[in-house]
Amino acid sequence: MILFGHAAFQYLNAACELGLFDLLAEKGPLTGEEIRTALDLEERACDILLLGCAALRLIHRDGPVCRLSAEIGELMDRGEWTHIVNTVAFEQHIVYEGQADFTESLRRNTNVGLRRIPGEGKDLYPRLAQTPRLEEVFYRYMRSWSQLANRHLVRHLDLSRSRTLLDCGGGDAVNAIALATANPQLRVTVLEIPSSVPVAEESIRQAGLEDRITVRGLDLFADPFPTGFDCVLFAHQLVIWTPEENTALLRKAHDALAPGGRVAVFNSMSDDSGDGPLIAALDSVYFAALPAEGGMIYPWSQHEASLRTAGFTGLRRIELPTWTPHGILIGTKAI
Ligand SMILES: C[S@@+](CC[C@H](N)C(=O)[O-])C[C@H]1O[C@@H](n2cnc3c(N)ncnc32)[C@H](O)[C@@H]1O
C-alpha cells in the first residue's frame, strides 16, 4: 500500500471528480454499464475506475452490480463526506505536486515544493489569492478540516466569561464563527493577511455575524497585535512555522492578553514518543515541503516549550477523540 499509495489516492480523487460516489448515493446500486453511461466514460476507462475503486473497497461489486461502501455511506449520513471530498481536492490540486520535492526539502531544511505554486510571495498564503481556483480549493478544505474537529474546541474552550477573542490567522473565520455562535456575548477580531480579508468577511456576512466579528488585515510577524483580549486563538497556525517563529507569535499573544487571559493552540499534534499518530506523520510531509520555510505536526511538548518560553503558565493538554490528530493546548497569562 505504501509503494502504490499515490495510485490509491488517484482512484479516490478520480472517483470524487467524476461523481462516482454521488451517483451511487443518489441512484443506489447500479451495473457497470449504467455507471459508464451516467459518467459518460468509455468502456475501458470505466473498467479501470471500477476495478480500482472495488479493489480499494471504496465500492463493492457483486457480479455486475456496484454499490457504495458502507464506510462512505456512513460518512455521507453523518454529513462528513463533503469534508473528505474537500480534503481530497486540496491534496490533489495544492499538495500533490509540491510533495515531489519532499526529499529536497529535507536536504535543504526548507519548503522547496513552494516552487510548484504559481505567484509571488515568500510563503503559500499570499500566492493563493493570485490563483483564485487554488484559493477556493484551499479555503474550502481549511473550513472542512476545521469543522471536522472544532466542535471539540467549542466544548473545551470555555468562553462563557470571556468578552473578547483574537483569532490569529483565522482563515475564512470558520472557528471565529463557531465560537461566536456558541458564546453570544463574545466579540471576535480575526487577523489575516490583507489578500484573505475578503474571504473571511464574506463568510462572516453569510453567517450574519458582522456586528460581533471583525477582520483586520495585517502580517502576524511584522505588525503589532491589538491588545486587551480575554483569549487569543491560534488555529492550524503553529504547524506552519519554525519553533522560534511560534515562540515569537506566542510572545505577541501574551502581550495582547489582559492579565489572567488565555491562549488556545488548536491543531494536529504528534506524540512525544515520536512514532505517531500516522496522520500526523503523513501531514508533516506537506508542512515540510510546501507552505513555509519551517513547520511540521509538532509534538505536544514542543508547543508546551514555546508556550512556557513566551511566559504562559498553567498549561492544559486536551487530546481530542477524533481520527484527525487534533488537540488543544491552553495556557494562561499570570494576573
Ligand atoms: C492553515 S490556515 C488556518 C486558517 C484557520 N485558522 C483555520 O483553522 O481554519 C493559516 C491561515 O493563516 C494565514 N496567515 C499566514 N501567514 C500569515 C501572516 N503572516 N499574517 C496573518 N495571517 C497569516 C493564512 O492566510 C491562512 O488563512
Side-chain angles (χ1 to χ4, degrees):
M1 281 306 286
I2 298 173
L3 190 59
F4 281 98
H6 61 288
F9 175 78
Q10 288 305 327
Y11 273 117
L12 175 63
N13 180 64
C16 288
E17 289 189 348
L18 293 167
L20 174 63
F21 304 124
D22 292 339
L23 176 71
L24 291 176
E26 193 194 329
K27 298 271 171 40
L30 294 174
T31 64
E33 189 56 28
E34 288 168 328
I35 292 171
R36 189 177 85 70
T37 306
L39 299 186
D40 195 20
L41 292 175
E42 296 296 331
E43 194 173 341
R44 186 188 62 90
C46 194
D47 285 349
I48 295 169
L49 180 70
L50 297 182
L51 167 67
C53 289
L56 287 164
R57 304 281 179 264
L58 298 169
I59 62 170
H60 286 293
R61 280 189 102 155
D62 194 1
V65 177
C66 300
R67 65 187 157 77
L68 206 56
S69 75
E71 290 81 358
I72 293 181
E74 279 163 26
L75 284 165
M76 286 179 173
D77 291 345
R78 288 209 305 268
E80 289 188 5
W81 179 244
T82 311
H83 300 326
I84 304 295
V85 173
N86 291 342
T87 304
V88 168
F90 165 72
E91 300 292 338
Q92 172 73 7
H93 296 289
I94 295 181
V95 180
Y96 219 84
E97 271 193 55
Q99 290 200 345
D101 290 320
F102 181 49
T103 311
E104 200 52 24
S105 299
L106 294 179
R107 277 204 185 101
R108 294 204 232 154
N109 196 31
T110 192
N111 56 328
V112 178
L114 185 65
R115 65 182 175 174
R116 316 267 182 161
I117 304 289
E120 300 287 314
K122 69 173 175 29
D123 58 55
L124 170 70
Y125 306 99
R127 292 189 186 202
L128 291 172
Q130 296 165 55
T131 311
R133 192 180 62 89
L134 289 191
E135 185 181 58
E136 197 185 320
V137 166
F138 177 82
Y139 281 110
R140 208 182 289 145
Y141 150 73
M142 212 50 249
R143 165 166 285 254
S144 277
W145 193 248
S146 279
Q147 286 179 336
L148 278 168
N150 74 3
R151 65 181 182 282
H152 300 288
L153 178 69
V154 169
R155 197 170 81 230
H156 289 287
L157 183 62
D158 180 2
L159 294 170
S160 56
R161 279 168 294 161
S162 299
R163 285 174 31 263
T164 53
L165 177 128
L166 186 66
D167 181 6
C168 300
D172 79 341
V174 54
N175 299 304
I177 290 168
L179 292 167
T181 303
N183 297 278
Q185 82 296 348
L186 191 68
R187 291 186 172 273
V188 184
T189 303
V190 174
L191 305 181
E192 252 303 332
I193 54 172
S195 60
S196 292
V197 167
V199 179
E201 286 181 338
E202 176 56 20
S203 44
I204 293 163
R205 194 190 60 72
Q206 279 180 20
L209 286 167
E210 302 100 309
D211 55 333
R212 290 202 288 127
I213 307 180
T214 53
V215 190
R216 193 182 287 196
L218 54 62
D219 181 333
L220 289 176
F221 293 100
D223 297 319
F225 286 10
T227 55
F229 289 87
D230 297 323
C231 186
V232 175
L233 172 67
F234 291 99
H236 305 113
Q237 186 63 228
L238 303 189
V239 288
I240 302 169
W241 315 110
T242 63
E244 295 74 24
E245 287 170 322
N246 285 345
T247 303
L249 289 178
L250 288 166
R251 280 204 173 99
K252 292 177 87 166
H254 196 267
D255 291 344
L257 282 168
R262 289 167 301 160
V263 66
V265 178
F266 169 61
N267 50 236
S268 297
M269 311 277 182
S270 58
D271 297 336
D272 290 331
S273 52
D275 58 357
L278 180 60
I279 304 282
L282 298 180
D283 204 11
S284 290
V285 176
Y286 164 69
F287 287 106
L290 235 134
E293 186 181 350
M296 68 174 284
I297 304 300
Y298 289 107
W300 291 86
S301 54
Q302 178 73 64
H303 289 301
E304 285 164 342
S306 297
L307 282 160
R308 283 194 200 96
T309 309
F312 289 100
T313 56
L315 305 188
R316 193 154 65 88
R317 273 187 197 199
I318 303 161
E319 292 182 32
L320 302 182
T322 57
W323 67 264
T324 63
H326 274 94
I328 306 170
L329 267 168
I330 298 178
T332 303
K333 174 173 173 170
I335 295 177

